[in-house]
Amino acid sequence: MTKKDDSPGLIQPDLFTLLDAVADWPVKDDIHSMEYPIFSLSKNKDLRIRTYQRGDKYVKIIPSVIGAATVFDKDILIFTISQLMARKNRGEPIGDTVRFSARELSVATNRPIGGNHYKRLEDAFARLQGAQFVTNIKSGGKIETRIFSLIDEGGFVRTDDERFRLDYCEVKLSRWLMRAIETDQVVTISHDYFRLRRPLERRLYEIARKHCGSSPKW
């Protein structure tokens, strides 16, 4: 479909509007970020360069000067992936650039609203875009080294009036995340995940969910 205008709800090949999120949406998380320690568990600025390796596969996380993306920043990606998967599973077209309501995101992921809400979002977008990841990918008998960020762009629009309210957020997902969506490399997680306030609790949950699945033990 070619772009005709910027009206809310119009689907373009590179822009998808989520201003009316799917109700009772199944929460989806990509399996790679559940296994690899991509997100920082620290509540302070994390500037460590970390490398995870299993067998001949590895991923190196290189944070920007403002720190690594946190496990709470990941809420933005989980929300976006979940909404796109819900529409993909219904046979509806999707795109890599996603526009959504900031309030809807916050309510859905149990995030606080008000105060310095927009500043928290800005910092989260900056960490998601600024952190660099280096990983090796085997394909066709060759090993490819890929360097990428989790999102290519991220930001929000605010009203130009005395109230200065958030209007909408917009994120362009990386090809790495889009491949996970396109190839269904995601699993369903519990809505209660967003109620876990300790980073380690979230990490333990996603590791167990990734490896256990529906089995009683791993």
Side-chain angles (χ1 to χ4, degrees):
M1 181 181 293
T2 58
K3 180 178 179 180
K4 296 181 180 179
D5 58 47
D6 292 325
S7 303
L10 182 67
I11 300 174
Q12 306 163 22
D14 59 346
L15 173 62
F16 186 70
T17 301
L18 294 180
L19 294 181
D20 296 310
V22 175
D24 299 323
W25 45 282
V27 184
K28 300 289 186 179
D29 200 353
D30 76 283
I31 60 175
H32 298 299
S33 69
M34 294 176 73
E35 177 176 355
Y36 293 84
I38 287 177
F39 296 93
S40 173
L41 304 184
S42 175
K43 292 187 177 181
N44 300 315
K45 182 190 294 187
D46 189 348
L47 297 175
R48 296 171 300 155
I49 296 177
R50 294 173 288 124
T51 301
Y52 173 88
Q53 185 162 356
R54 192 182 70 168
D56 57 358
K57 296 181 180 179
Y58 75 89
V59 59
K60 178 186 288 186
I61 301 96
I62 307 172
S64 69
V65 294
I66 64 172
T70 73
V71 70
F72 295 105
D73 297 339
K74 187 182 181 182
D75 289 354
I76 296 172
L77 302 182
I78 294 176
F79 174 79
T80 304
I81 291 171
S82 301
Q83 294 294 324
L84 291 178
M85 284 301 302
R87 284 162 170 79
K88 176 177 178 289
N89 290 337
R90 293 205 306 266
E92 299 176 10
I94 59 175
D96 63 0
T97 302
V98 185
R99 183 178 296 173
F100 51 87
S101 159
R103 179 176 178 82
E104 203 155 39
L105 164 72
S106 298
V107 171
T109 59
N110 197 35
R111 297 169 70 89
I113 301 175
N116 61 345
H117 176 53
Y118 77 91
K119 184 62 169 63
R120 292 193 299 268
L121 281 173
E122 181 179 354
D123 290 345
F125 289 140
R127 286 188 293 265
L128 289 169
Q129 196 283 325
Q132 297 292 305
F133 300 86
V134 183
T135 187
N136 61 336
I137 304 170
K138 283 192 173 182
S139 178
K142 297 181 180 180
I143 298 177
E144 175 186 0
T145 297
R146 178 70 62 179
I147 303 171
F148 61 95
S149 296
L150 292 170
I151 63 174
D152 291 343
E153 298 178 22
F156 50 82
V157 174
R158 291 175 288 188
T159 57
D160 185 18
D161 57 28
E162 66 278 2
R163 288 178 292 181
F164 213 49
R165 298 173 301 171
L166 279 178
D167 194 2
Y168 63 82
C169 298
E170 193 169 287
V171 172
K172 183 175 182 180
L173 298 178
S174 68
R175 283 301 306 153
W176 191 72
L177 283 176
M178 285 306 298
R179 280 196 296 267
I181 294 172
E182 292 163 358
T183 57
D184 297 328
Q185 296 182 51
V186 300
V187 295
T188 302
I189 64 174
S190 171
H191 274 275
D192 288 336
Y193 170 85
F194 298 117
R195 299 178 65 183
L196 299 175
R197 302 315 305 165
R198 295 181 179 180
L200 184 58
E201 291 176 336
R202 290 189 171 204
R203 184 68 186 129
L204 289 174
Y205 171 82
E206 62 183 4
I207 290 175
R209 176 65 184 89
K210 163 63 172 64
H211 292 286
C212 289
S214 57
S215 302
K217 64 181 180 179
W218 166 56

